[in-house]
């Protein structure tokens, strides 16, 4: 069954440090994978999506994710964290016509 | 211009009451969704409409009834509210029903049942 697992419900980094949010997927077929971000008291916004065209996917706000089939991973990274990156991040896959959300990772950025 | 809007933003009500949440999108999309986010931030789809036709109906109590008067609107009516209905409800829309399409989310409605 298609699902995603996010490792770490909370991640804390200093401003300017590397951001790494981990996501592993389980799928019997090539998956569609997404990262959505939810800023405090707001709705979700698409950061990026993988659709098998390229393994390295670039998104908005300097984020990118790499699809690694051998590791069944789709980790989200950003070279240098900014205070405004503090939010909840969701790794998402699909099952039929439905999006299946991971449990989320809260990113805190310290000055 | 707000792409996906929901009203009200906050809703506090007592058990047993009936309430509605409204959603409107001005993106010209043909598919709209309702999601429920619980206190642990877990997000799950409830319903989806494509061109006013119900296409996804998850295992949701029949106290929840969506209504789509046109492609730009999807309302959620909840009867006999229970404590467990307390959550944030998000409306979303997309151009096309395929789940690969980007979904645009509204700001959410925080429902508190006392």
């Amino acid at each position: 069954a298609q699902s995603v697992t996010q490792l770490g419900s909370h991640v804390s980094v200093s401003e300017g440090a590397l951001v790494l949010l981990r996501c592993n997927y389980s799928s019997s077929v090539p998956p569609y994978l997404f990262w959505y971000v939810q800023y405090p008291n707001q709705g979700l916004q698409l950061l990026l999506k993988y659709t098998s065209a390229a393994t390295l996917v670039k998104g908005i706000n300097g984020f990118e994710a790499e699809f690694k089939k051998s590791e069944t991973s789709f980790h989200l990274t950003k070279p240098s964290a900014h205070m405004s990156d503090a939010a909840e991040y969701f790794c998402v896959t699909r099952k039929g016509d439905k999006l299946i959300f991971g449990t989320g990772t809260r990113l805190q950025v310290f000055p | 211009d707000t792409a996906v809007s929901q009203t009200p933003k906050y809703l506090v009500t007592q058990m047993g009451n009936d309430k509605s949440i409204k959603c409107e999108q001005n993106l010209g999309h043909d598919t709209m969704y309702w999601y429920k986010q619980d206190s642990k931030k877990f997000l799950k789809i409830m319903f989806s409409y494509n061109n006013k036709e119900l296409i996804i109906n998850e295992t949701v109590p029949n106290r929840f009834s969506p209504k789509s008067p046109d492609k730009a609107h999807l309302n959620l009516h909840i009867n006999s509210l229970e404590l467990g209905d307390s959550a944030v409800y998000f409306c979303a829309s997309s151009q096309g029903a395929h789940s690969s399409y980007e979904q645009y989310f509204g700001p959410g409605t925080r429902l508190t049942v006392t």
Side-chain angles (χ1 to χ4, degrees):
Chain A
Q2 284 82 347
S3 67
V4 289
T5 302
Q6 292 185 242
L7 303 174
S9 58
H10 289 83
V11 170
S12 298
V13 299
S14 299
E15 192 172 20
L18 171 72
V19 175
L20 171 60
L21 305 181
R22 300 177 187 273
C23 173
N24 287 90
Y25 68 90
S26 63
S27 174
S28 57
V29 297
Y32 278 92
L33 293 164
F34 312 79
W35 277 98
Y36 275 81
V37 60
Q38 183 179 20
Y39 297 105
N41 298 314
Q42 294 186 30
L44 284 77
Q45 179 182 5
L46 180 68
L47 272 178
L48 49 83
K49 69 176 180 181
Y50 168 76
T51 57
S52 76
T55 56
L56 183 62
V57 183
K58 293 188 183 298
I60 61 172
N61 301 337
F63 283 93
E64 62 182 34
E66 186 172 8
F67 175 77
K68 291 187 177 179
K69 186 177 180 180
S70 60
E71 299 178 5
T72 61
S73 69
F74 190 59
H75 301 332
L76 182 71
T77 60
K78 182 174 180 177
S80 177
H82 192 273
M83 297 294 289
S84 61
D85 295 326
E88 191 88 21
Y89 291 80
F90 293 93
C91 183
V92 183
T93 187
R94 71 164 183 161
K95 182 178 179 181
D97 286 335
K98 296 181 288 190
L99 293 183
I100 307 297
F101 288 78
T103 51
T105 298
R106 175 165 291 183
L107 175 66
Q108 286 185 302
V109 183
F110 293 100
Chain B
D1 285 345
T2 302
V4 182
S5 60
Q6 296 178 227
T7 53
K9 189 169 176 64
Y10 299 95
L11 184 54
V12 181
T13 188
Q14 293 183 326
M15 287 174 55
N17 285 347
D18 303 338
K19 291 293 179 184
S20 292
I21 306 172
K22 297 186 176 182
C23 177
E24 177 181 3
Q25 55 94 2
N26 62 6
L27 297 167
H29 290 167
D30 60 6
T31 306
M32 297 184 72
Y33 311 81
W34 278 112
Y35 288 88
K36 179 180 180 180
Q37 186 175 46
D38 64 22
S39 58
K40 296 184 177 180
K41 297 283 188 177
F42 183 65
L43 205 69
K44 187 175 180 183
I45 190 166
M46 301 173 68
F47 303 103
S48 172
Y49 272 75
N50 176 253
N51 287 316
K52 301 195 298 175
E53 182 179 341
L54 182 66
I55 58 171
I56 293 176
N57 186 353
E58 284 296 278
T59 308
V60 176
N62 57 16
R63 299 181 294 102
F64 289 79
S65 54
K67 284 187 172 55
S68 182
D70 55 57
K71 288 197 304 183
H73 296 84
L74 180 61
N75 303 323
L76 183 65
H77 188 76
I78 315 170
N79 289 327
S80 304
L81 279 155
E82 301 177 357
L83 293 176
D85 298 331
S86 295
V88 181
Y89 292 85
F90 287 100
C91 177
S93 72
S94 64
Q95 184 53 48
H98 194 278
S99 53
S100 65
Y101 293 112
E102 177 177 356
Q103 294 186 15
Y104 293 77
F105 284 76
T109 295
R110 184 176 294 276
L111 171 64
T112 304
V113 182
T114 61

